[in-house]
Amino acid sequence: MRPGARSARKALYCGPPWPRVFELTARDGLARQGVLETRHGRVTTPALLPVVNPNHPIVSPKDLAVRFGAEILITNAYILGKGALREPVLRQGVHGLLDFPRAIMTDSGAFQSHVYGDVEVTNPEVIGFQRAIGSDLGTMLDPFSEPEHPLARAQADVDETIARAKEAVALRGEMDLVGAVQGGLHEPLRERCAREVSSLDIAVAAIGGVVPLMESYRFRDLVRVILASKKGLDPSKPVHLFGAGHPLVFPLAALLGCDLFDSAAYAKYARDGRMLFADGTRHASEVRESGCACPVCAAHPMAEIAKDEVLLAEHNLHVSFAAVREVRRAIGAGEIWELAERRARAHPALLDAMRELRRHNDFLEESEPLSRPGAMYYVGPETAHRPVLHRYRRRLEERYATPAARGLLVLPEGPRPYGERYRGIVERALSAADVHPVVKSVWGPVPIELDAVWPLSQSIIPDTLDPEALEAAEVFFRQWAAGAGYGFGVLWEGDATLEELRARAPGPRSVEWNLLRVRATADFQFGRGAAEALLRGPISFVVSKNTGKVRNVLADGQHILSLRAEDGLFTLKAAGAVRLHAAFPSPRLRVVAHPDAIPFLREGKNLFAKFVKEADPGIRPGDEVLVVSPEDELGAVARAAMNRREMLAFKRGVAAFVREGVPPPPSAPPR
Amino acid sequence: MRPGARSARKALYCGPPWPRVFELTARDGLARQGVLETRHGRVTTPALLPVVNPNHPIVSPKDLAVRFGAEILITNAYILGKGALREPVLRQGVHGLLDFPRAIMTDSGAFQSHVYGDVEVTNPEVIGFQRAIGSDLGTMLDPFSEPEHPLARAQADVDETIARAKEAVALRGEMDLVGAVQGGLHEPLRERCAREVSSLDIAVAAIGGVVPLMESYRFRDLVRVILASKKGLDPSKPVHLFGAGHPLVFPLAALLGCDLFDSAAYAKYARDGRMLFADGTRHASEVRESGCACPVCAAHPMAEIAKDEVLLAEHNLHVSFAAVREVRRAIGAGEIWELAERRARAHPALLDAMRELRRHNDFLEESEPLSRPGAMYYVGPETAHRPVLHRYRRRLEERYATPAARGLLVLPEGPRPYGERYRGIVERALSAADVHPVVKSVWGPVPIELDAVWPLSQSIIPDTLDPEALEAAEVFFRQWAAGAGYGFGVLWEGDATLEELRARAPGPRSVEWNLLRVRATADFQFGRGAAEALLRGPISFVVSKNTGKVRNVLADGQHILSLRAEDGLFTLKAAGAVRLHAAFPSPRLRVVAHPDAIPFLREGKNLFAKFVKEADPGIRPGDEVLVVSPEDELGAVARAAMNRREMLAFKRGVAAFVREGVPPPPSAPPR
């Protein structure tokens, strides 16, 4: 567990139970695991909201809660408001009518309005009705923008959406609002709509108008729409993806930061005799045997399932809820990218969607945690384009200082750790031949001193790589080598080099491996110049007895850094923080806290997001940060839990886990 | 349902219930769905045999049958024979002792002997003991060959294995035998051992010595070992993969023709607090939430599961049995390749294994059915190397006759059907510009007349292809174009061509599309020259009113061919069969039946494998075949259900589904 995580977990629920709050419990890329508080209990996200048709509930709401663990459902205010149910629901409330004690979201009927064109109600009427029936989350009546709508039409829709969102906010009373994001395929429109709607007093932002994309497997367009919306959305608000009910899309949608899905698919597909699976849909009549472990499939022969709509619906629910749990598990384990990449192999259109992601790496990278436990598995050539590797290559270019050497020794990709594997040749290269060994890895170039940094240190790749991955390795390498000022004339490659180096070097001489590693890692992690700033004075290391690896770094006798075995990166100590603070000007590495918070931070209390006033835009979740006062006085060293955008947006939750408070500087230097 | 399939299904169980019989019910590549008869009931294969430790049955054998649907289990004769259980099991029999009424396989203790080196029993003792306790399938005591054993040692092991197998056969009495295949990583040894052992009177062939490969994720070596064994094995016998208990390997192993798996993993992993999943293993303590739909995970919180060995074992069993059912479903649906390719993305070592497969395409292709219902989905660049596409490209080279044309018009890959998409340009090319349009598809070159043939007609690929796939498309194309005698100087490519063609062709002229398609398809399907032989005399078509597509082909007023909408290939009619029979010399397209069978075949009865005397080695499951007498007198036209090797090996089951009997030729020609 990360430092401070326990206290953060506790802090999560210590506020008032109401008004509603969304708080993160884990994160992975744009994906979040969180808890949404409602008047009818907490909802763990990502969550699936089964759609309940109040006229024909194929599985009763009570069963949804008890047997399937649904913490929230969604039903249609349009259906409730126009038929025979109108009077009963107004009398009993929606929770009473449905006999569901947990959270209920209501939909406004915008989709029905769009499809049937027969909704005569107005936005204020819909809001009023949802309030009257006690909906926990009521939805505004938004115009439905078709993907094919031209710019002008989509623009008008967005203007109308924003106007109606404002109207809904004015009328919401105690009810929490779901605000819609429209804009068709027009990315700037989506971003604007998202920004304006989510800046209002809404509880949930819902990305709408995407059902036609999902129905026709236009997942690449879905990616563009979601990401454009996410760029504008307030990150502290949960995001609902309207109409996303097929488990095939859950990993991708969660990866892109969607928190809530609603599913009518379980019922609709059951009615057509179709079964949902995590990898697609199959007609029950064509499935001789179900390769599914769910209680329905484990207990009933297919012949029975195929002709029983309720069993089909229950199977679909089991599969869908399990798929959402799998997404939550993957987020908790830092494996959402792996899950999404693997699932993408289920349909070529998902592969196209994954390929689209790399175009958005600058945005995706902002939310990517620094590292995660465990190895990184190669799924396909797309793996090398994950934002965390995009960041690796960028930080390598921007932060890592290439050593002065006559040239590069290019080592081939191979099992990790590279340093161990190539020990002899590396020592000769470094000590005698004045040549810098760098591995041409499929993840990007790896200077040998950085081979213990995650994920370079821990990754599992096939023996035989596909041409796309090899080509990417080549491109990554050449870009970096050119940027680092290595002329190609001095590239050395292959086995011949070993012989040449042997000839030049009489035998292995001692290389200051530890110092090389520490210097390179410090610059890579904190920025170019960090090694210089941190490693002033006499340097010593505390080395692990078991592994022989550096554990602590001391400078001038002060403990400034600890090296983490898990990810090969540093934990910053107070003495190190002081040095970086002095060397790097504001805002670098800084999180600026409210002055009132400083004394508590100095005592080691965590920094909550609501006390953050500013932050370095370069900070990423997991980065070591300097917590300072508005006057840039150092108060603590901490590990960021959020990036700047999130720190400024969230009103709840920990922005940075404080490792150590830093006392105010003494008025006079010690003697 | 395919013609004759219903009667075959019925015929399956009409023989005596004993001796044991293995019969296929579906097939896909080397994968088979089948039924193995034992004295204790039928076992549907592929089957999982949970390993029951009679001293510590974590889940009772009765529960395995009732709650998990196990039709067979495996237990260890070595454990039963040496401890306190010896007397009870000799008294009650193994079914009585375990209280399991279904099939029981016993293991000899060869693995224990190998690991602990403490087995003092001999092969005859082990066989005798297994007979005495009433095992349904008793295993010989084979020497365990380590993968690293050098050739000489492995050779000795193989010789010893064969000798012991012969000894066991002599001693088996009424008990059915499991014969072992050893040989380490030495492929010719594996093949020889498989051939010799499976030619003996054994019921099941077990590939042994593979646990070390699976434990260290050496799946590529596993592929080599299994395929070398399969090349030697009698295809009519079920194949057990000893020690394969992780669902991760089931799709791959089934794809390679393994029918039985045994799993101690469910119990061993539970003891260590580990959970099996179709995509790998996870420590229960690290799983916050299980993304699994099984009855255990659907009903219990993870905290409870994690500390309960029985719940963990039950979860592992649910997942493992579901994984085997999924394999059976995939075989039934013709999707085992898709399943294996998708599952391979779960671990880089599986990707290496999939990449190995293409090296064995000539062997794999022999068992590949001609077509299957539904579309082919692109999973990765490996998809283009599936044996069915290898066959497509080979038949294209060997059978399809390139039309006389001045050159090729190379059309880019795109949505299917190509002919519709490129209609205008294709018509101009064919009619005016004397240029042959061919699509440079990722599956291989597609002459436009063949674009309705499966899987070219029905395949779903990403919009953006990876470089490996594009490179393969290029290589496939150039190889074919060179072989077909097209000089590269006359290649036309891209949009410019359309303009050029327009300039040359004043307007679309009528092209005999239907005839072009029919001719090309006939040659492609039956061999070069088939169109010439079939399409003699005046030709007419019966065309579908709905689709406008050819349904029936008539020559000289006789119905000779029907075109199937599902796969764009022909069903051969009796009149067509007569023409092909006259044109193609024996053994081409022939299956030679026992003379006694001919009258029944003429009445339309199916051809059972036991009546097959010879067959064209070029026949593949699904091919149209000519069933002839040993004197090459045509008796029927049929659809092959097996290839030659299988027809000659199987003693049960249908070798070919007869479509139409062909009466003996009249002594004088009709007038």
Side-chain angles (χ1 to χ4, degrees):
Chain A
M1 187 170 287
R2 293 174 191 162
R6 184 178 305 278
S7 54
R9 197 72 44 84
K10 225 171 45 195
L12 195 66
Y13 305 118
C14 67
W18 190 250
R20 44 47 199 174
V21 149
F22 179 59
E23 209 161 344
L24 302 189
T25 52
R27 58 182 303 161
D28 189 11
L30 283 177
R32 305 99 71 88
Q33 218 185 57
V35 174
L36 172 67
E37 305 246 7
T38 75
R39 270 173 301 187
H40 287 84
R42 292 172 190 148
V43 177
T44 308
T45 68
L48 177 67
L49 289 67
V51 173
V52 170
N53 180 336
N55 289 313
H56 314 282
I58 185 166
V59 175
S60 77
K62 197 170 209 166
D63 270 1
L64 288 174
V66 176
R67 290 176 47 214
F68 296 92
E71 294 176 326
I72 182 168
L73 60 73
I74 184 167
T75 192
N76 200 307
Y78 167 76
I79 295 172
L80 290 169
K82 67 178 243 158
L85 293 169
R86 185 176 175 89
E87 288 318 309
V89 75
L90 282 169
R91 207 170 50 243
Q92 306 170 50
V94 66
H95 293 81
L97 181 85
L98 295 183
D99 190 19
F100 188 76
R102 302 186 180 173
I104 294 179
M105 182 189 287
T106 43
D107 190 4
S108 60
F111 189 70
Q112 281 71 18
S113 158
H114 170 73
V115 174
Y116 309 114
D118 71 341
V119 180
E120 318 86 359
V121 294
T122 64
N123 188 40
E125 282 167 0
V126 168
I127 300 292
F129 179 72
Q130 292 176 95
R131 281 179 63 183
I133 64 175
S135 173
D136 293 301
L137 289 157
T139 306
M140 57 180 276
L141 188 72
D142 56 324
F144 185 95
S145 234
E146 280 281 3
E148 301 323 322
H149 281 178
L151 185 65
R153 168 92 185 258
Q155 211 145 23
D157 286 340
V158 164
D159 291 339
E160 178 69 17
T161 301
I162 296 167
R164 290 204 204 162
K166 288 177 179 165
E167 181 181 54
V169 165
L171 298 169
R172 77 172 182 91
E174 296 265 289
M175 181 178 70
D176 278 326
L177 264 190
V178 179
V181 177
Q182 293 290 353
L185 293 182
H186 308 281
E187 298 178 40
L189 281 185
R190 284 276 180 185
E191 184 171 344
R192 173 162 78 85
C193 191
R195 179 166 294 114
E196 299 217 18
V197 169
S198 75
S199 73
L200 301 173
D201 181 21
I202 61 157
V204 169
I207 300 176
V210 291
V211 167
L213 300 179
M214 293 186 282
E215 278 176 349
S216 50
Y217 288 80
R218 292 170 61 183
F219 298 126
R220 179 156 49 187
D221 286 334
L222 183 69
V223 165
R224 289 177 184 152
V225 164
I226 296 176
L227 283 178
S229 305
K230 286 292 286 189
K231 284 173 190 165
L233 283 169
D234 176 338
S236 74
K237 296 188 176 173
V239 178
H240 182 96
L241 189 63
F242 253 128
H246 199 301
L248 189 64
V249 305
F250 293 168
L252 175 64
L255 173 70
L256 300 178
C258 297
D259 307 290
L260 305 172
F261 309 109
D262 65 281
S263 177
Y266 77 96
K268 268 179 10 195
Y269 282 57
R271 204 154 47 231
D272 302 346
R274 288 188 295 166
M275 299 173 81
L276 298 176
F277 295 97
D279 66 348
T281 310
R282 295 185 182 90
H283 274 279
S285 59
E286 287 166 9
V287 176
R288 280 198 230 165
E289 225 174 340
S290 161
C292 164
C294 87
V296 171
C297 292
H300 301 269
M302 261 311 298
E304 194 183 318
I305 298 170
K307 59 188 183 213
D308 187 330
E309 188 180 335
V310 174
L311 285 181
L312 286 170
E314 290 185 354
H315 159 88
N316 289 344
L317 279 170
H318 280 302
V319 165
S320 302
F321 276 108
V324 169
R325 289 201 308 269
E326 182 175 39
V327 160
R328 290 202 296 260
R329 180 201 63 70
I331 297 170
E335 293 173 7
I336 191 69
W337 278 92
E338 258 149 44
L339 180 64
E341 286 178 1
R342 287 176 186 167
R343 187 62 43 78
R345 297 286 164 174
H347 199 286
L350 282 171
L351 278 179
D352 281 323
M354 294 308 292
R355 192 175 280 275
E356 171 73 14
L357 291 179
R358 66 190 71 164
R359 284 188 48 231
H360 307 268
N361 259 344
D362 284 342
F363 176 65
L364 291 169
E365 185 273 323
E366 286 178 21
S367 308
E368 197 65 38
L370 191 68
S371 66
R372 61 149 163 112
M376 171 175 268
Y377 286 79
Y378 178 93
V379 178
E382 59 276 24
T383 306
H385 294 278
R386 284 190 199 164
V388 74
L389 288 162
H390 175 70
R391 168 192 301 159
Y392 166 76
R393 293 186 293 267
R394 208 172 60 186
R395 289 194 169 182
L396 195 71
E397 258 183 62
E398 294 177 359
R399 301 185 171 189
Y400 167 77
T402 45
R406 284 196 306 108
L408 285 181
L409 169 62
V410 186
L411 299 169
E413 179 67 284
R416 279 72 168 160
Y418 304 117
E420 298 307 310
R421 184 176 158 81
Y422 297 120
R423 190 165 198 111
I425 192 170
V426 162
E427 284 183 349
R428 283 193 179 82
L430 288 169
S431 65
D434 190 23
V435 163
H436 184 212
V438 178
V439 180
K440 191 192 280 177
S441 155
V442 63
W443 307 137
V446 184
I448 205 73
E449 321 93 89
L450 287 179
D451 83 331
V453 166
W454 188 91
L456 295 322
S457 54
Q458 295 178 60
S459 57
I460 297 178
I461 61 169
D463 287 347
T464 307
L465 286 157
D466 50 278
E468 180 168 355
L470 293 172
E471 201 181 300
E474 196 61 42
V475 170
F476 298 150
F477 192 89
R478 288 183 177 266
Q479 279 175 348
W480 171 78
Y486 284 109
F488 285 98
V490 288
L491 287 176
W492 307 39
E493 211 159 353
D495 283 339
T497 317
L498 180 58
E499 287 316 306
E500 262 188 69
L501 289 172
R502 276 211 185 105
R504 286 158 184 263
R509 271 188 287 158
S510 122
V511 176
E512 276 205 87
W513 255 112
N514 285 342
L515 190 58
L516 279 173
R517 268 190 199 286
V518 164
R519 293 195 70 90
T521 307
D523 273 0
F524 174 78
Q525 184 174 356
F526 301 113
R528 201 169 288 173
E532 192 56 37
L534 287 164
L535 303 174
R536 274 183 289 100
I539 303 300
S540 61
F541 302 119
V542 177
V543 171
S544 158
K545 272 182 198 144
N546 291 328
T547 64
K549 287 180 180 160
V550 170
R551 281 284 155 269
N552 300 330
V553 181
L554 289 80
D556 278 334
Q558 288 180 306
H559 182 182
I560 53 165
L561 297 167
S562 298
L563 198 55
R564 298 192 292 261
E566 315 91 81
D567 64 3
L569 293 168
F570 290 121
T571 292
L572 187 61
K573 308 299 292 179
V578 169
R579 288 175 176 220
L580 284 179
H581 183 257
F584 286 176
S586 180
R588 281 191 50 200
L589 306 182
R590 265 65 160 190
V591 178
V592 182
H594 194 281
D596 294 352
I598 299 289
F600 298 97
L601 300 168
R602 289 205 159 119
E603 288 170 23
K605 299 278 196 302
N606 286 330
L607 174 60
F608 283 82
K610 64 179 163 188
F611 297 115
V612 173
K613 298 186 75 68
E614 247 309 339
D616 179 357
I619 289 173
R620 300 291 175 260
D623 269 344
E624 305 291 304
V625 295
L626 311 175
V627 184
V628 297
S629 70
E631 288 74 38
D632 199 36
E633 189 174 294
L634 185 61
V637 57
R639 182 169 204 184
M642 298 175 170
N643 62 27
R644 174 177 178 276
R645 226 161 72 90
E646 294 162 337
M647 287 181 184
L648 298 179
F650 272 90
K651 297 287 165 278
R652 300 275 300 207
V654 173
F657 297 108
V658 167
R659 297 191 182 283
E660 278 182 89
V662 180
S667 34
R671 33 192 109 197
Chain B
M1 186 169 289
R2 295 179 188 154
R6 183 178 305 278
S7 53
R9 197 72 45 83
K10 226 170 44 194
L12 195 66
Y13 305 118
C14 67
W18 192 251
R20 42 52 197 171
V21 150
F22 179 59
E23 208 161 343
L24 303 189
T25 52
R27 58 181 304 160
D28 189 11
L30 284 176
R32 304 101 70 90
Q33 219 185 56
V35 174
L36 172 67
E37 305 246 6
T38 76
R39 269 173 302 187
H40 287 85
R42 293 173 189 149
V43 177
T44 308
T45 68
L48 177 67
L49 289 67
V51 174
V52 170
N53 180 336
N55 289 313
H56 314 281
I58 186 166
V59 175
S60 77
K62 198 169 207 166
D63 270 1
L64 288 174
V66 176
R67 289 176 47 214
F68 296 92
E71 294 176 326
I72 182 168
L73 61 73
I74 185 166
T75 191
N76 200 306
Y78 167 76
I79 295 172
L80 290 169
K82 68 177 242 157
L85 293 169
R86 186 176 174 90
E87 288 318 308
V89 76
L90 283 169
R91 206 170 51 242
Q92 305 170 51
V94 65
H95 293 82
L97 181 85
L98 295 183
D99 190 19
F100 187 76
R102 302 187 180 173
I104 294 180
M105 182 188 288
T106 43
D107 190 4
S108 61
F111 189 69
Q112 281 71 18
S113 157
H114 170 74
V115 174
Y116 308 114
D118 71 340
V119 179
E120 317 88 359
V121 294
T122 64
N123 187 39
E125 282 167 1
V126 168
I127 300 292
F129 179 73
Q130 293 176 97
R131 282 179 63 183
I133 64 176
S135 173
D136 292 301
L137 288 157
T139 306
M140 56 180 277
L141 188 72
D142 56 323
F144 186 95
S145 233
E146 280 279 3
E148 301 324 322
H149 281 178
L151 185 64
R153 169 92 185 259
Q155 211 144 24
D157 285 340
V158 164
D159 291 339
E160 177 69 17
T161 301
I162 296 167
R164 290 203 204 163
K166 287 176 179 165
E167 182 181 54
V169 165
L171 299 169
R172 76 172 182 91
E174 296 265 291
M175 180 178 71
D176 278 327
L177 265 189
V178 179
V181 177
Q182 294 290 354
L185 294 182
H186 307 281
E187 297 177 41
L189 281 184
R190 285 275 180 187
E191 183 171 344
R192 173 163 77 85
C193 191
R195 180 167 292 116
E196 299 216 16
V197 169
S198 75
S199 72
L200 302 172
D201 180 21
I202 60 158
V204 169
I207 300 177
V210 292
V211 167
L213 300 179
M214 291 186 283
E215 278 176 348
S216 50
Y217 288 80
R218 292 170 59 183
F219 298 125
R220 179 157 49 187
D221 286 333
L222 183 69
V223 165
R224 289 177 184 152
V225 164
I226 296 176
L227 283 179
S229 305
K230 286 292 285 190
K231 283 173 190 165
L233 282 169
D234 177 338
S236 75
K237 295 187 176 174
V239 178
H240 182 95
L241 189 63
F242 253 129
H246 199 301
L248 189 64
V249 305
F250 293 168
L252 175 63
L255 172 70
L256 300 178
C258 297
D259 308 290
L260 305 172
F261 309 109
D262 65 280
S263 177
Y266 76 95
K268 268 180 9 196
Y269 283 56
R271 204 154 49 232
D272 303 345
R274 288 187 295 165
M275 299 173 82
L276 297 175
F277 295 97
D279 66 348
T281 310
R282 295 184 181 91
H283 274 279
S285 60
E286 287 167 10
V287 176
R288 280 198 231 164
E289 226 175 340
S290 162
C292 164
C294 87
V296 171
C297 292
H300 301 270
M302 262 311 298
E304 194 184 319
I305 299 170
K307 59 187 182 212
D308 187 330
E309 188 180 334
V310 174
L311 286 181
L312 286 171
E314 290 185 354
H315 159 87
N316 289 344
L317 280 170
H318 279 302
V319 166
S320 303
F321 276 108
V324 170
R325 289 201 308 269
E326 183 175 38
V327 161
R328 290 202 296 258
R329 180 201 62 70
I331 297 170
E335 294 173 6
I336 191 70
W337 278 92
E338 257 149 44
L339 180 64
E341 286 177 1
R342 286 175 185 166
R343 187 62 43 78
R345 297 287 164 174
H347 198 286
L350 283 172
L351 277 180
D352 281 323
M354 295 308 293
R355 192 174 281 275
E356 171 72 15
L357 292 178
R358 66 190 71 165
R359 284 188 48 230
H360 307 268
N361 259 344
D362 283 343
F363 176 65
L364 291 169
E365 184 273 322
E366 286 177 20
S367 307
E368 197 67 37
L370 191 67
S371 66
R372 62 150 163 109
M376 171 174 268
Y377 286 78
Y378 177 94
V379 178
E382 59 275 23
T383 306
H385 294 278
R386 284 190 199 164
V388 75
L389 289 162
H390 174 71
R391 168 192 300 160
Y392 167 76
R393 293 186 293 266
R394 208 171 60 186
R395 289 193 170 183
L396 194 71
E397 258 183 63
E398 294 176 0
R399 301 183 171 190
Y400 167 77
T402 45
R406 284 196 307 105
L408 286 181
L409 169 62
V410 186
L411 299 169
E413 179 67 283
R416 280 71 169 159
Y418 303 117
E420 297 308 309
R421 184 175 158 80
Y422 298 119
R423 188 163 200 112
I425 192 170
V426 162
E427 284 184 348
R428 282 192 180 82
L430 289 170
S431 65
D434 190 23
V435 163
H436 184 212
V438 178
V439 179
K440 192 192 280 177
S441 154
V442 63
W443 306 137
V446 184
I448 205 72
E449 320 93 89
L450 287 178
D451 84 331
V453 166
W454 188 91
L456 295 323
S457 53
Q458 294 179 61
S459 57
I460 298 177
I461 60 170
D463 286 347
T464 307
L465 285 157
D466 49 279
E468 181 168 354
L470 293 172
E471 201 180 299
E474 195 63 41
V475 170
F476 299 149
F477 191 89
R478 287 183 179 268
Q479 279 176 348
W480 171 78
Y486 283 108
F488 285 99
V490 287
L491 287 177
W492 309 39
E493 210 158 353
D495 282 339
T497 316
L498 180 58
E499 288 316 306
E500 259 187 71
L501 289 172
R502 278 213 183 105
R504 286 160 183 263
R509 271 187 288 159
S510 122
V511 176
E512 276 204 86
W513 254 113
N514 285 341
L515 189 59
L516 278 173
R517 268 191 199 285
V518 164
R519 294 194 70 91
T521 307
D523 273 359
F524 173 78
Q525 184 174 356
F526 302 113
R528 200 169 290 173
E532 192 57 36
L534 287 164
L535 303 174
R536 275 183 289 101
I539 303 298
S540 61
F541 302 120
V542 177
V543 172
S544 159
K545 273 181 198 145
N546 291 328
T547 64
K549 286 179 181 161
V550 170
R551 280 285 155 268
N552 300 329
V553 180
L554 289 81
D556 278 333
Q558 288 180 306
H559 182 182
I560 53 165
L561 296 167
S562 298
L563 198 55
R564 297 192 292 261
E566 314 91 81
D567 63 4
L569 293 168
F570 290 120
T571 292
L572 187 61
K573 308 300 293 180
V578 169
R579 288 175 176 221
L580 283 180
H581 183 257
F584 285 178
S586 179
R588 281 191 50 200
L589 305 182
R590 264 68 160 187
V591 178
V592 182
H594 194 282
D596 294 353
I598 299 289
F600 299 97
L601 300 167
R602 289 206 159 119
E603 288 169 22
K605 300 277 195 304
N606 285 331
L607 174 60
F608 283 82
K610 64 179 163 188
F611 296 115
V612 173
K613 299 186 75 68
E614 247 311 338
D616 178 357
I619 289 172
R620 300 291 176 259
D623 268 345
E624 305 291 303
V625 294
L626 312 175
V627 185
V628 297
S629 71
E631 288 74 38
D632 199 36
E633 189 174 295
L634 185 61
V637 58
R639 181 169 205 184
M642 299 175 171
N643 62 27
R644 174 178 178 275
R645 227 161 71 90
E646 294 162 338
M647 287 181 184
L648 297 180
F650 272 90
K651 297 286 164 279
R652 299 276 298 205
V654 173
F657 297 108
V658 167
R659 297 192 182 282
E660 278 182 88
V662 180
S667 34
R671 38 191 107 194

